[in-house]
Amino acid sequence: MILDAGTGIRLLGRRLIEEGRAQRAHVVLSHFHWDHIQGLPFFRLLFESDTSLVVSGPRQGEDGVAELLAGQMDPNYFPVPLYSLAAATDFEDLSDGQLSEGSIQISGMRVRHPSITMGIRLRVAGHSICYVPDNELDGPTHGLDASDWRERLVEFVRDADLLLHVADATESEARREVQAEAVESVLEEIGAGEIPRLVVVNKVDRLATDEQTALANRFPDAILTSARSGAGLDEVRRRLADVARGRLTAIDVTIPYARGELLSS
């Protein structure tokens, strides 16, 4: 499962191929602004004939996912048209409904942002993670019926197992504080103040060494990362795994010797 397709998906595709994990992927697009799709034409799995790929996202008026991405990869802008890709590619519409990828249930909810933008919730084995990018809690509704929008957002993110909060290291400290306070206030308002948080500060490669040190001292529990260089990403994966393991329930099972075949079932 890959959420959005910014420029980082180029390096991800290379890594998946190197690790032999390029057989199948599902890319879920929250919307089609450039910073969320610009890396897709450079995603190596698109050019692998033994790869099965699904790309889902919200319709924009009359245009579905395939039509929107075909425009992006028009020969005027990219040398390989969408319909000439080697991978077996399917396109699915993610609206206010549900899709599935194996045992993973994918649901979407429209949020406040120019164009039709979706918050995404992934649910598997009774656990959930919500990915809600570019969501504007106040201001213009951008054509969205906002009469009960806040209540629906509360229900959409309620009982999620993890909040992954990504901040931009190049923003001013004052702006980062405002953003963090907005998130915290909403979590408290919806009764989700106890959801585990993982704070990631990205783009630290654009800071001088002394600025990185000051940032680490200011936010000691945050993980400083650079999606561009890969710095800190292994720590993000480790911390995510720790959260997942912490929610597992250990059980003891006794299997009679005569029923050893149960081990393979």
Side-chain angles (χ1 to χ4, degrees), residues 249-255:
T249 301
I251 61 172
D252 293 322
V253 178
T254 301
I255 299 176

Side-chain angles (χ1 to χ4, degrees), residues 106-125:
I106 310 164
S107 15
M109 174 191 161
R110 187 175 176 187
V111 297
R112 283 186 176 184
H113 193 58
S115 85
I116 298 177
T117 303
M118 307 297 286
I120 297 164
R121 180 168 180 146
L122 305 179
R123 184 174 181 85
V124 60

Side-chain angles (χ1 to χ4, degrees), residues 47-98:
F47 306 96
E48 299 292 321
S49 59
D50 58 349
T51 293
S52 174
L53 187 68
V54 177
V55 184
S56 57
R59 296 186 66 86
Q60 304 292 318
E62 296 297 318
D63 293 328
V65 179
E67 290 79 12
L68 291 159
L69 295 180
Q72 178 196 25
M73 296 177 68
D74 181 271
N76 287 316
Y77 310 114
F78 195 75
V80 182
L82 181 68
Y83 297 105
S84 297
L85 300 174
T89 308
D90 292 320
F91 303 94
E92 296 183 348
D93 177 29
L94 176 65
S95 297
D96 286 344
Q98 195 169 88

Side-chain angles (χ1 to χ4, degrees), residues 18 37 41 47 53 76 84 94 111 114 116 145-146 148 151 159 172 191 201 237 254 256 262:
E18 290 172 351
I37 66 170
F47 306 96
L53 187 68
N76 287 316
S84 297
L94 176 65
V111 297
I116 298 177
D145 178 5
D148 64 345
E151 291 76 14
D159 300 327
S172 69
V201 183
R237 296 185 188 97
T254 301
L262 294 174

